[in-house]
Structures are given as structure tokens and as C-alpha cells.
């Protein structure tokens, strides 16, 4: 069986984070061409929200959950990130990739901000049919808080284990994890606390680079490593070549 790759597309790669919901169609076309060229692999795409979801989640304080009668933010945020999902799926399909959008709001349940259930059997079925499921950070019903935001990185961690994936890649707008302006080649649970990791200045309700590393260290502890690289090196990552970025590994 070929590699099963979970590929996370950062929200800042596929949207312009400086403005309200602007899809970066040129970036999407390049990504779609790279994925279309990776014939051998089975791929699940997970994408972040960028400017299509974070501003809405922030505006409606979804980080604090939702209460009865105050639910507009759930609809508005899900609508924004679903529109982005449709743009990602369309770009992939235009490049000949048999992509299909999957919304976590419909298939996942969280408790206190963490996924406690996410149906993945339909994803296995899609992969068996040769399709590329495209999942995204989303608003999800939460047993304690009413609703919460589940980031693409949390989904990556959950799905990598559930689907027993062999490789995890995060395509970002920076060359890797930067410490003092230099790419950190490898991060382990032991080395992580020595790093000074900067965060984006744009609205990000799920913790930016720090939130990403925390999720990936959790995954590394479960035996699945992940690679963080600049989106321009996506072809190298998919081909299994050096990508000049950061590898997150267990001890
Ligand atoms: O961009 C956040 O996902 P992320 C999802 O992966 C929403 O952190 C709806 C803000």
C-alpha cells in the first residue's frame, strides 16, 4: 500500500490574512498542481481558516463557547470556512485531483475544546475509492462549552492516529519553525522548551505557531513525526525529498 499522507495547508498560505476572507487563488493553483503531480500517494488534505474564519470566530467570541440564543457566530464562522473549503476543493478538481470537501461540524464532537469523536470510516472509504478528502479547521459542537473552534492542527493530530498515516506535512508561508530568524531543523519534546517561537500578528484564535508545535509534539509522542516546510517546497515533501524545513520528532 502507498504512503498515506496528511497534508495541512496553513490558512496564511491559502488566504490573504491581512483582509477579510480573501482566497489566494494563485497559491491554491500551485498547490493543486503539486498534489496532482504526486501520483503514488494517498493524501488527506486539511486546511486552516486564515482570513476566512478566524476574524468571525474572534468577533463572536467562539473561544469562550456559545450559549442558547447566541448562536449566530456558529453559522457565520462555519459559512466562512466552508466557502474557503469549496475554493480549495475547486482548485484541486480543476487540476484533476478527485477532491471532496468534508466538514468537521457534521462529523465531529468536542469536549472542552478537544475532539472526543470524529468519524473517520467515511474518509477511509473515500481513500479506497482514490479520492482526496479535504477537511478544515471548523466550529464544532462542544459538550461543555456549547461550541468551540477545532483547528486544522488538532484535526491533523487526531486523524493521523485514527487513519494510521505514514507521513504528516504542514505547508506554511515560512521556511519552517524559526528561532532567531533561522530554521530549526528538528524539534523534539526535549528541545521544544528552549525555542523562542514568534506568533503571527494576524487574528488567530487557535494559537498560531505555538499551537501548531504543541499539537505536533503530541503526535510525535504517539510515534508519528511531522514536517513543516515552505509551501514552495511542497513538491519536494510529497516526493520524499529534503524540503529545508523543520522535522518534529519523538525522542
Ligand atoms: O486556521 C481554525 O483553524 P486553523 C478554524 O487551523 C476556524 O487554526 C473556524 C477559525
Amino acid at each position: 500500500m502507498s504512503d498515506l499522507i496528511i497534508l495541512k495547508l496553513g490558512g496564511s498560505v491559502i488566504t490573504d490574512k491581512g483582509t477579510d476572507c480573501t482566497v489566494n487563488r494563485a497559491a491554491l493553483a500551485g498547490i493543486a498542481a503539486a498534489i496532482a503531480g504526486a501520483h503514488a500517494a494517498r493524501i488527506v488534505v486539511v486546511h486552516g481558516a486564515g482570513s476566512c474564519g478566524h476574524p468571525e470566530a474572534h468577533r463572536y467570541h467562539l473561544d469562550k463557547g456559545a450559549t442558547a440564543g447566541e448562536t449566530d457566530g456558529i453559522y457565520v464562522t462555519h459559512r466562512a470556512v466552508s466557502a474557503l473549503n469549496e475554493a480549495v476543493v475547486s482548485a484541486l478538481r480543476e487540476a484533476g485531483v478527485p477532491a471532496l470537501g468534508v466538514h468537521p461540524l457534521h462529523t465531529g464532537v468536542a469536549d472542552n475544546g478537544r475532539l472526543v469523536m470524529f468519524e473517520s470510516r467515511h474518509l477511509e472509504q473515500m481513500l479506497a475509492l482514490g479520492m482526496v478528502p479535504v477537511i478544515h479547521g471548523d466550529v464544532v459542537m462542544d459538550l461543555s462549552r456549547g461550541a468551540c473552534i477545532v483547528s486544522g492542527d488538532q484535526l491533523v493530530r487526531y486523524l493521523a492516529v485514527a487513519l494510521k498515516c505514514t507521513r504528516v506535512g504542514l505547508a506554511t508561508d515560512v521556511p519552517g519553525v524559526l528561532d532567531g530568524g533561522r530554521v530549526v531543523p528538528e524539534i523534539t519534546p526535549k528541545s521544544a522548551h528552549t525555542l523562542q517561537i514568534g506568533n503571527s500578528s494576524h487574528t488567530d484564535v487557535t494559537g498560531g505557531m505555538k499551537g501548531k508545535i504543541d499539537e505536533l509534539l503530541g503526535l510525535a509522542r504517539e510515534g508519528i513525526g511531522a514536517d513543516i516546510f515552505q509551501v514552495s517546497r511542497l513538491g519536494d515533501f510529497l516526493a520524499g525529498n529534503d524540503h529545508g524545513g523543520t522535522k518534529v520528532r519523538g525522542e
Side-chain angles (χ1 to χ4, degrees):
M1 186 78 78
S2 60
D3 267 352
L4 173 56
I5 297 176
I6 295 196
L7 174 64
K8 161 90 194 292
L9 305 175
S12 44
V13 167
I14 58 174
T15 69
D16 178 351
K17 272 193 144 181
T19 60
D20 266 359
C21 200
T22 308
V23 178
N24 187 337
R25 292 186 194 280
L28 275 180
I31 290 165
I35 294 176
H39 300 294
R42 296 175 300 140
I43 300 178
V44 175
V45 173
V46 178
H47 66 80
S51 62
C52 306
H54 279 282
E56 291 80 358
H58 185 67
R59 196 175 311 136
Y60 287 93
H61 308 292
L62 282 182
D63 52 324
K64 297 189 174 59
T67 51
E70 302 284 333
T71 56
D72 285 354
I74 296 172
Y75 169 72
V76 171
T77 304
H78 177 68
R79 182 180 60 180
V81 78
S82 295
L84 176 61
N85 181 255
E86 185 50 41
V88 176
V89 169
S90 297
L92 287 167
R93 294 197 71 89
E94 273 163 33
V97 177
L100 188 62
V102 176
H103 304 299
L105 173 64
H106 304 166
T107 54
V109 177
D111 191 12
N112 237 338
R114 302 298 300 177
L115 280 174
V116 290
M117 196 282 280
F118 190 91
E119 180 59 69
S120 58
R121 284 170 299 180
H122 60 324
L123 303 179
E124 284 168 18
Q125 217 44 49
M126 290 173 200
L127 289 165
L129 292 175
M131 304 189 85
V132 174
V134 183
I135 306 159
H136 55 89
D138 201 357
V139 55
V140 167
M141 293 301 105
D142 186 299
L143 301 175
S144 317
R145 303 184 193 167
C148 70
I149 295 297
V150 168
S151 70
D153 298 319
Q154 188 183 154
L155 285 160
V156 166
R157 177 171 174 187
Y158 191 99
L159 290 174
V161 175
L163 297 173
K164 299 184 182 61
C165 94
T166 42
R167 297 173 61 209
V168 173
L170 282 78
T172 69
D173 61 347
V174 287
V177 176
L178 300 175
D179 187 16
R182 299 175 65 162
V183 174
V184 182
E186 184 170 285
I187 299 180
T188 64
K190 229 182 222 162
S191 71
H193 69 279
T194 63
L195 301 173
Q196 299 289 321
I197 297 167
N199 263 334
S200 143
S201 56
H202 300 297
T203 308
D204 189 326
V205 293
T206 51
M209 187 57 95
K210 166 99 178 56
K212 192 182 301 302
I213 304 288
D214 288 346
E215 295 292 355
L216 297 182
L217 286 172
L219 193 55
R221 283 190 198 94
E222 296 186 58
I224 303 176
D227 293 16
I228 304 174
F229 51 86
Q230 186 131 39
V231 66
S232 58
R233 306 293 298 268
L234 175 57
D236 286 326
F237 168 75
L238 291 173
N241 298 334
D242 177 48
H243 48 65
T246 302
K247 295 179 193 305
V248 183
R249 298 289 184 264
E251 300 299 351

